[in-house]
């Protein structure tokens, strides 16, 4: 077929390809330029607002958590324009501000409550662009919003100094640059193009036995999983089976700078914030004995916590998702001047929780520090709490949740993971040609790689306590248990190298984007075929 991908050597994991496999791969390649165009515009949009005065429609935080509106409105229009939904009313915003669209085959004879429900999930917000640093360190060649602005000025050595992985110099033309390219706008764009392909191939069985609900969520960077948590708390309780997910596909980047691009990730550590407020008594710096210095006592708490962490005290180690960690991440000081004993010192720990660890345990670790006891004995007040996230979303929705984000693991033998591996072998493996000796570093692999994330994703918003009865989950949906929580089966596949996210020069490889689209478009049918109906 003219324009279709060239079939590479299949190797020992040979899978007999179907017509659907070939059609999905063909359309993923055909629509790669469309995906790139959508991605570049989604990255660029904040440039229209960040430098404008607020009274002229500007927003210096455009594109960041709770400021995603312009980007999300563009994506909604795009979903309709490119045919990623069948009808315009199949896409819209929920109360929280998540963009939601649904695709299914209305002529499939299977009743909706018997179909497999697959969620695609990707967040639409980014971190700060640091535009001046991009321009300075990359010599004006690359802009965090406008992407590549001067190809002749690109210095690969400058890029390599900033990023975890880049392809060889003669392949740099495959890259799309900009803030959010790897985290996670490429994932959202992949969802859009994949749902377009699913609809185009519905008569060829791509949507048989399944319903796909896709989400571009809000405020993940500031409040991991906030969008899914809204669903769990306010949409899924009392919902019919056709709304409750059997599996969630997270499109966060699953590339690793050493292990390779486009892994299939089936777990992650959770995280929480621990806030410590040390309150003393302020006085003039020339008479420190009259005060109680919270900065010095707080510094002792930080130092002891660092030593205990370095010694591995208190943290568990899970054989798959790894060890719990803790690091000081933020601080503020209330002081009348730089020649005074301060009044109050507040700081936070970023605590990564492995499966088996609890927030209560993590708080107790800080409470048990000798320096905490010493500060209290000296007359200072030490409060140790989990802070709450309370910023309103871009739609004005009031949010109030503890900053605790549980980890999760989907078993490797779960049907969701097996269907993901099978999909990869059908629509990626045949079309990736590795060089002699195998792919290097962060390049694409022909063989699927099952692993886990280092950082956090929207997946932390789906788990619910084991004893919760708020959501009626049919047994056939095969939700899984991770420690003290249960959740739908989850896995991730997305374009982007983890070590390139939040970095100067952030970028994503178009080839990864193409193959991520292909897996997303092939997975629903593969999962439905493997699992049968919900009550089966």
């Amino acid at each position: 077929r003219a324009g279709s991908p060239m079939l590479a050597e299949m190797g020992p994991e040979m899978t007999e390809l179907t017509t659907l496999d070939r059609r999905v791969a063909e359309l993923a390649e055909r629509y790669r330029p469309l995906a790139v165009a959508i991605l570049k515009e989604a990255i660029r949009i904040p440039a229209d607002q960040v430098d404008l005065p607020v009274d002229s429609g500007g927003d210096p935080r455009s594109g960041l958590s709770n400021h995603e509106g312009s980007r999300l409105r563009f994506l909604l229009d795009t979903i309709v324009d490119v045919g990623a939904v069948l009808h315009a009313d199949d896409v819209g915003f929920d109360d929280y501000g998540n963009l939601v669209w649904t695709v299914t085959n209305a002529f499939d004879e299977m009743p909706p409550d018997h179909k497999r429900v697959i969620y695609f999930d990707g967040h639409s917000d980014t971190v700060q662009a640091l535009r001046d640093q991009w321009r300075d360190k990359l010599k004006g060649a690359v802009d965090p919003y406008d992407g590549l602005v001067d190809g002749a000025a690109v210095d690969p050595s400058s890029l390599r100094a900033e990023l975890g992985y880049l392809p060889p110099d003669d392949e740099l033309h495959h890259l799309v640059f900009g803030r959010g390219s790897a985290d996670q706008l490429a994932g959202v764009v992949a969802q859009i193009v994949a749902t377009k392909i699913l609809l185009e191939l519905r008569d060829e069985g791509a949507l048989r036995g399944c319903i796909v609900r896709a989400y571009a969520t809000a405020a993940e960077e500031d409040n991991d999983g906030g969008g899914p948590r809204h669903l769990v708390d306010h949409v899924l309780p009392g919902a019919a089976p056709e709304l409750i997910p059997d599996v969630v596909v997270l499109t966060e980047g699953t590339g690793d700078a050493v292990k390779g691009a486009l892994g299939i990730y089936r777990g992650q550590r959770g995280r929480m914030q621990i806030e410590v407020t040390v309150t003393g008594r302020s006085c003039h710096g020339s008479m420190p004995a009259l005060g109680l210095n919270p900065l010095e006592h707080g510094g002792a708490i930080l130092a002891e916590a660092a030593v205990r962490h370095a010694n591995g005290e208190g943290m568990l180690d899970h054989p798959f998702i790894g060890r719990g960690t803790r690091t000081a991440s933020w601080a503020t000081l209330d002081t009348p001047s730089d020649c005074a004993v301060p009044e109050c010192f507040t700081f936070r720990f970023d605590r990564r929780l492995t499966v088996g660890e609890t927030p209560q345990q993590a708080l107790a670790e800080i409470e048990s520090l000798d320096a905490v006891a010493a500060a209290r004995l000296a007359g200072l007040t030490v409060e140790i709490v989990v802070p709450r996230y309370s910023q309103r979303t871009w739609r004005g929705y009031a949010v109030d949740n503890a900053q605790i984000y549980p980890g999760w693991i989907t078993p490797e033998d779960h049907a969701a993971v097996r269907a993901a591996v099978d999909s990869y072998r059908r629509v990626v493996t045949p079309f990736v040609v590795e060089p002699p000796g195998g792919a290097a570093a962060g390049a694409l692999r022909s063989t699927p790689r099952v692993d886990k994330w280092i950082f956090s994703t929207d997946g932390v918003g789906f788990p619910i306590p084991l004893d919760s009865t708020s959501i009626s989950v049919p047994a056939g949906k095969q939700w899984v248990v991770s420690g003290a929580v249960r959740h739908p089966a989850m896995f991730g596949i997305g374009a982007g190298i983890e070590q390139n996210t939040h970095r100067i020069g952030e970028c994503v490889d178009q080839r990864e984007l193409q193959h991520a689209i292909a897996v997303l478009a092939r997975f629903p049918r593969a999962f439905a075929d493997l699992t049968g109906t919900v009550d089966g």
Side-chain angles (χ1 to χ4, degrees), residues 37-38 60 96 155 164 196 207 213 219 279 310 326 394 408 417 448 483 494:
I38 298 170
Y96 185 87
D155 177 8
K196 171 181 172 63
L207 282 165
R213 294 177 61 81
T279 304
R326 181 181 60 227
W394 73 275
W408 55 272
V417 177

Side-chain angles (χ1 to χ4, degrees), residues 395-472:
R395 296 271 285 186
Y397 189 87
V399 178
D400 182 25
N401 62 266
Q403 292 188 256
I404 297 173
Y405 312 98
W408 55 272
I409 299 174
T410 299
E412 191 167 16
D413 62 355
H414 194 283
V417 177
R418 290 188 285 126
V421 169
D422 181 58
S423 298
Y424 190 104
R425 287 178 175 155
R426 291 179 177 278
V427 297
V428 179
T429 297
F431 311 110
V432 171
V433 180
E434 293 187 12
L444 281 162
R445 266 58 171 169
S446 60
T447 302
R449 174 177 62 87
V450 178
D451 210 329
K452 80 279 188 180
W453 275 287
I454 303 169
F455 57 38
S456 192
T457 78
D458 251 347
V460 299
F462 286 99
I464 60 175
L466 281 178
D467 58 357
S468 173
T469 59
S470 62
I471 302 173
S472 179

Side-chain angles (χ1 to χ4, degrees), residues 358-383:
T358 67
Q360 294 75 20
Q361 169 194 341
L363 287 170
E365 292 165 1
I366 304 302
E367 284 281 0
S368 71
L369 295 175
D370 295 337
V372 170
R376 289 170 174 162
L377 184 62
L380 294 89
T381 300
V382 181
E383 294 180 286

Side-chain angles (χ1 to χ4, degrees), residues 78 120 225 232 236 262 290 335 376 394 461 466 483 510:
T78 299
F120 293 165
V232 166
L236 298 184
L262 215 63
L290 299 180
T335 184
R376 289 170 174 162
W394 73 275
L466 281 178
Q510 299 177 30

Side-chain angles (χ1 to χ4, degrees), residues 207-400:
L207 282 165
R208 186 179 301 159
C210 53
I211 299 169
V212 175
R213 294 177 61 81
Y215 289 83
T217 65
E220 188 272 350
E221 292 290 356
D222 280 4
N223 188 34
D224 306 27
R229 189 176 297 107
H230 171 74
L231 304 181
V232 166
D233 291 344
H234 302 290
V235 176
L236 298 184
E242 56 264 35
L243 284 179
I244 296 173
D246 293 82
V247 59
V248 177
V249 186
L250 302 158
T251 60
E252 192 86 55
T254 55
D256 184 272
V258 175
K259 299 177 183 178
L262 215 63
I264 295 168
Y265 286 2
R266 62 179 184 90
Q268 63 168 88
R269 295 177 301 171
R271 78 174 183 92
M272 66 183 294
Q273 292 291 316
I274 300 174
E275 185 172 280
V276 181
T277 301
V278 185
T279 304
R281 184 170 62 240
S282 180
C283 69
H284 198 283
S286 66
M287 299 172 282
L290 299 180
L292 294 171
N293 196 316
L295 182 56
E296 293 180 354
H297 281 277
I301 294 170
L302 287 166
E304 184 182 351
V307 169
R308 290 201 184 188
H309 175 264
N311 292 336
E313 296 181 33
M315 283 100 190
L316 299 182
D317 194 356
H318 188 276
F320 176 61
I321 60 170
R323 177 177 175 263
T325 59
R326 181 181 60 227
T327 189
S329 58
W330 174 89
T332 185
L333 184 68
D334 294 336
T335 184
S337 76
D338 62 355
C339 61
V341 170
E343 179 70 18
C344 183
F345 179 39
T346 302
F347 53 92
R348 290 183 180 181
F349 293 106
D350 179 278
R351 177 66 160 90
R352 301 287 157 156
L353 299 164
T354 196
V355 169
E357 294 182 317
T358 67
Q360 294 75 20
Q361 169 194 341
L363 287 170
E365 292 165 1
I366 304 302
E367 284 281 0
S368 71
L369 295 175
D370 295 337
V372 170
R376 289 170 174 162
L377 184 62
L380 294 89
T381 300
V382 181
E383 294 180 286
I384 303 168
V385 300
V386 177
R388 300 190 71 82
Y389 188 83
S390 58
Q391 295 185 36
R392 290 181 177 269
T393 70
W394 73 275
R395 296 271 285 186
Y397 189 87
V399 178
D400 182 25

